[in-house]
């Protein structure tokens, strides 16, 4: 038989609860539209008690962004097993899963929300981008990436970010198609770079070596081959 008495939370446990509640609210509505009173009600505590743990909405918002950034960075972690194309597709799927689950929160993370331009927010965004970059470089098996490869990977990360932000505005393109298209975009960026640089050409050959016939990279080649007869080059 329970007495109905609520367990008293420790300081850190309560802080983490408030961060979780705030992140959940920010994930479904613009942070500007979420009040401290709503956060307090959702957490089952009083408004003054929220301020006991966080000096203001901005500090709570930044703590929620930190948790979101940590979770998003974890989405890029993938075992180094199997074809590269399939690995990238799984990573892209988890990335879009986060975007889908935390739409307004993701938008706020990438665009700053109430903390736009703050050094804290900028550092969080940069940390996510750097984590994604390091994971992809590791999957390519490159210890010292050349300048063109760094350009390809960082450009692709920027493309994934902007694609997700545009997709959130109406979700007019099926998510699964965009996930596959982004993997194709990675191969396309690498291929264009390879056309200019022998080192990148070698890296591209290594990327494609061993890819099975049903891989995302093979699918791109099939799609491009189907387009070739319809393309007429200027004389």
């Amino acid at each position: 038989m329970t007495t109905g008495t609520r367990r008293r939370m420790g300081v850190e446990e309560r802080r983490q609860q408030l961060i979780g509640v705030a992140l959940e609210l920010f994930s479904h509505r613009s942070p500007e539209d979420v009040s401290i009173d709503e956060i307090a009600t959702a957490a089952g505590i009083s408004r003054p008690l929220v301020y006991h743990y966080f000096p203001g909405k901005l500090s709570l918002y930044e703590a929620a962004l930190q948790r979101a950034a940590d979770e998003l960075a974890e989405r890029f972690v993938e075992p180094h097993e199997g074809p590269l194309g399939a690995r990238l597709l799984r990573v892209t799927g988890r990335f879009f899963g986060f975007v889908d689950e935390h739409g307004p929160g993701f938008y706020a993370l990438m665009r700053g929300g109430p903390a736009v331009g703050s050094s804290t927010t900028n550092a969080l965004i940069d940390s996510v981008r750097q984590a994604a970059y390091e994971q992809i470089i590791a999957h390519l098996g490159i210890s010292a990436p050349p300048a063109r490869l760094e350009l390809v990977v960082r450009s692709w990360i920027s493309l994934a970010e902007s694609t997700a932000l545009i997709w959130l505005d109406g979700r007019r393109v099926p998510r699964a198609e965009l996930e596959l298209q982004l993997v194709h975009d990675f191969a396309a960026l690498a291929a264009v770079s390879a056309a200019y640089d022998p080192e990148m050409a070698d890296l591209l050959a290594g990327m494609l070596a061993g890819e099975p016939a049903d891989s995302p990279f093979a699918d791109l080649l099939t799609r491009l081959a189907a387009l070739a007869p319809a393309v007429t080059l200027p004389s």
Side-chain angles (χ1 to χ4, degrees):
M1 179 176 178
T2 60
T3 62
T5 303
R6 285 188 294 181
R7 181 176 62 86
R8 187 181 184 87
M9 291 187 181
V11 173
E12 184 57 27
E13 186 179 8
R14 177 65 78 184
R15 278 179 54 85
Q16 293 305 316
Q17 183 220 15
L18 284 170
I19 292 170
V21 166
L23 181 58
E24 178 65 20
L25 291 172
F26 295 152
S27 293
H28 296 93
R29 289 163 54 205
S30 173
E32 290 90 340
D33 296 334
V34 177
S35 69
I36 287 292
D37 287 331
E38 289 179 89
I39 295 170
T41 298
I45 61 176
S46 66
R47 175 189 174 97
L49 195 53
V50 175
Y51 285 109
H52 175 74
Y53 294 98
F54 294 93
K57 179 178 172 180
L58 180 59
S59 63
L60 178 53
Y61 172 75
E62 289 181 343
L65 282 189
Q66 177 69 70
R67 182 177 292 185
D70 291 343
E71 181 182 342
L72 182 53
E74 289 174 2
R75 301 284 177 116
F76 289 94
V77 177
E78 170 72 20
H80 294 197
E81 301 170 357
L84 177 62
R87 282 182 261 161
L88 282 178
L89 187 58
R90 287 193 293 271
V91 166
T92 305
R94 288 197 299 273
F95 169 72
F96 263 90
F98 179 93
V99 173
D100 209 1
E101 296 161 20
H102 305 285
F106 175 79
Y107 190 92
L109 175 62
M110 293 297 123
R111 288 293 180 261
V116 63
S118 78
S119 58
T120 299
T121 303
N122 291 339
L124 287 175
I125 296 169
D126 288 342
S127 71
V128 173
R129 291 170 178 156
Q130 184 62 24
Y133 171 78
E134 291 174 359
Q135 284 293 326
I136 294 167
I137 290 297
H139 279 284
L140 294 173
I142 307 296
S143 57
R148 288 184 185 272
L149 179 60
E150 180 174 357
L151 181 62
V152 165
V153 175
R154 293 196 185 278
S155 296
W156 183 74
I157 292 169
S158 178
L159 176 62
E161 173 188 321
S162 59
T163 298
L165 288 170
I166 294 169
W167 178 74
L168 280 173
D169 185 16
R171 293 173 168 83
R172 291 171 293 174
V173 177
R175 174 180 149 185
E177 289 183 16
L178 276 186
E179 292 170 6
L180 180 59
Q181 182 178 317
L182 274 172
V183 177
H184 289 171
D185 287 334
F186 183 86
L189 286 169
V192 170
S193 184
Y196 287 85
D197 183 73
E199 187 175 16
M200 280 300 300
D202 289 341
L203 287 173
L204 179 64
M207 281 174 48
L208 298 178
E211 288 286 311
D214 61 349
S215 76
F217 292 160
D219 178 64
L220 174 61
L221 294 176
T222 300
R223 291 171 185 264
L224 291 176
L227 290 174
V231 176
T232 302
L233 297 176
S235 56

